[in-house]
Amino acid sequence: MSANGSSESGCKLEVRPSNNTCNLQRELSVTSSVISMTVGIFSNSLALFILVKSYTRARVKSKASFLLFASSLVVTDLLGHIINGSLVLFVYSSHGKWEKFDPHHIMCIIFGVCMVFFGLSPLFLGGAMAVERCIGVTRPIFHSTTLASHHMKRLLGLTWLLAALVAVLPVLLQRPYRVQSSRSWCFFQMEEPKDWLDVLLPLLFSLLGLLALLLSIVCNTLTSCTLLQARQSHKHHCRSTSHHIEMIGQLLVIMVVSCVCWGPLLFHIIMLSTRAKDKPASVNLLMVVRMATWNQILDPWVYILLRKAVMRKLFMLLNNCWGTNFHHLHRWQQSFLHSSMETSTSAVGPPACHCHGVPLRDTGIKAIS
């Protein structure tokens, strides 16, 4: 979702070139769109390279499932920047004259479908990742014996299918997307709804997005509590929980970023859809759309920065800077990273767990280092 390039405050794209203020605003909008698109493509490409490399080396089944969803999320964000960004730049190059370059309203429909699809897909994928990690941590036996890789791929396909269905629903119901007041992007008809369908469609978009965020919050909270209880318990200590902690840390950051970036837009759409017809809009719609766009830019940096290799260097740097004041945190870092490296080099099999301080009896399947 990358329609972050215009100003709605009194300066339309079709104004005369003699207006220096409007020309300056349009140049700034084009510049910000190009920068956002370039940074988004670079960030997601780098994150995709890292994730694909990790996926090919993953030997733990739960880690492979998580990397599959994470790679799909980054691919979706990357395509969103390329497609939506290209459409925005084309609209700017045409000076927002939709009547000339889109007389049959086809491009506006495609633009609106892409905006909704690439907006909901990251939220749905984040919720699916949270559910998958919650099952993997709270029901590990069920996850390892029942949920195969083809089940994860089906879930991934259903996630994309649901987002695509919501995106094409206005077209199927003959409520096509409309050019917004800034004339730089297309979205639902919210300014002057004709009937209840014009109110229902944006409400459905917002409620599904909020439901995905709520699902992520509930599942990530449950998973975090389970992992903290497992780490603090003296009865059970499994070194396999280390890679779970790395993944849930990434999921928590993604959840926070999604809530901060998407929350204002989703709530604003609900307020616009349910407000009285004679009541003016209180918040600039395009401003909150720009905030949502940053979600696709920040998501890949979670996978780039929150990795064991990066965290190890960060802890070493903090230890060198703070010395003895960083002693306790450094001890935790050594324990966590050591167990993480042991887990990452082990094949699929029962983790090395200790119960009441006594190693479990060997079952004949040993980890291969």
Side-chain angles (χ1 to χ4, degrees):
M1 191 168 186
S2 180
N4 62 329
S6 173
S7 176
E8 279 184 310
S9 56
C11 182
K12 303 289 193 286
L13 288 175
E14 72 271 20
V15 296
R16 292 174 297 179
S18 57
N19 192 327
N20 295 329
T21 303
C22 292
N23 287 336
L24 179 60
Q25 290 185 1
R26 187 174 64 184
E27 291 177 0
L28 292 176
S29 298
V30 174
T31 303
S32 64
S33 296
V34 172
I35 293 176
S36 175
M37 182 179 176
T38 304
V39 174
I41 292 175
F42 170 77
S43 302
N44 285 281
S45 300
L46 179 60
L48 182 62
F49 172 77
I50 294 174
L51 288 171
V52 171
K53 187 177 180 180
S54 300
Y55 182 77
T56 56
R57 296 180 177 180
R59 299 179 180 180
V60 182
K61 178 183 176 181
S62 59
K63 183 73 172 178
S65 300
F66 176 82
L67 291 174
L68 174 65
F69 279 99
S71 302
S72 303
L73 174 62
V74 172
V75 169
T76 304
D77 288 340
L78 177 62
L79 292 177
H81 276 287
I82 294 175
I83 297 176
N84 289 341
S86 300
L87 291 173
V88 169
L89 294 179
F90 175 78
V91 172
Y92 278 125
S93 65
S94 304
H95 303 285
K97 297 179 180 179
W98 291 85
E99 295 80 6
K100 291 186 177 181
F101 67 82
D102 189 28
H104 302 290
H105 206 66
I106 296 177
M107 182 177 175
C108 184
I109 293 176
I110 296 175
F111 201 166
V113 170
C114 293
M115 289 287 292
V116 174
F117 175 77
F118 291 113
L120 283 180
S121 292
L123 299 179
F124 289 168
L125 288 173
M129 292 167 64
V131 172
E132 188 272 336
R133 277 299 80 223
C134 185
I135 297 176
V137 172
T138 59
R139 297 292 184 269
I141 297 178
F142 173 78
H143 184 276
S144 60
T145 58
T146 306
L147 298 181
S149 59
H150 65 274
H151 292 117
M152 298 295 102
K153 294 178 181 178
R154 287 179 183 177
L155 179 60
L156 176 62
L158 289 175
T159 302
W160 277 328
L161 181 62
L162 178 59
L165 180 61
V166 177
V168 300
L169 191 59
V171 183
L172 298 177
L173 296 177
Q174 297 182 354
R175 292 296 189 276
Y177 296 95
R178 300 295 181 185
V179 179
Q180 300 301 302
S181 59
S182 64
R183 302 189 64 82
S184 62
W185 62 302
C186 294
F187 205 56
F188 296 105
Q189 177 69 26
M190 292 183 296
E191 294 183 355
E192 297 178 357
K194 297 180 180 180
D195 52 19
W196 62 273
L197 274 177
D198 290 336
V199 177
L200 177 63
L201 291 174
L203 278 178
L204 179 64
F205 172 83
S206 298
L207 292 177
L208 287 176
L210 291 174
L211 182 62
L213 289 178
L214 179 62
L215 183 64
S216 299
I217 293 173
V218 173
C219 292
N220 288 334
T221 302
L222 181 60
T223 306
S224 300
C225 293
T226 303
L227 287 176
L228 288 176
Q229 185 179 4
R231 297 287 293 186
Q232 295 176 357
S233 176
H234 296 287
K235 295 182 179 181
H236 299 279
H237 175 68
C238 298
R239 66 188 183 186
S240 62
T241 59
S242 58
H243 73 276
H244 289 300
I245 294 177
E246 179 189 8
M247 290 184 286
I248 195 59
Q250 294 176 344
L251 280 178
L252 287 174
V253 176
I254 290 176
M255 180 189 67
V256 172
V257 171
S258 298
C259 290
V260 172
C261 294
W262 275 98
L265 175 61
L266 297 176
F267 281 110
H268 183 59
I269 292 177
I270 293 177
M271 291 187 294
L272 280 179
S273 302
T274 57
R275 67 186 172 93
K277 293 184 179 180
D278 56 346
K279 186 177 180 180
S282 57
V283 182
N284 192 326
L285 178 61
L286 199 57
M287 181 178 65
V288 290
V289 171
R290 289 171 177 170
M291 291 182 60
T293 303
W294 277 96
N295 180 73
Q296 296 176 320
I297 298 176
L298 296 177
D299 272 351
W301 289 102
V302 175
Y303 306 109
I304 295 173
L305 298 179
L306 296 184
R307 294 180 295 133
K308 291 191 294 289
V310 177
M311 297 301 296
R312 185 186 302 114
K313 293 180 180 179
L314 177 61
F315 279 117
M316 293 176 61
L317 178 62
L318 293 176
N319 184 44
N320 293 332
C321 294
W322 290 359
T324 57
N325 295 330
F326 196 69
H327 178 65
H328 297 289
L329 188 58
H330 181 61
R331 287 177 55 192
W332 175 86
Q333 173 260 342
Q334 286 181 326
S335 176
F336 171 71
L337 292 176
H338 179 69
S339 60
S340 299
M341 293 177 65
E342 289 178 344
T343 304
S344 63
T345 56
S346 61
V348 178
C353 298
H354 299 269
C355 195
H356 297 282
V358 180
L360 293 178
R361 186 172 297 176
D362 191 359
T363 58
I365 304 177
K366 297 183 178 180
I368 303 175
S369 299

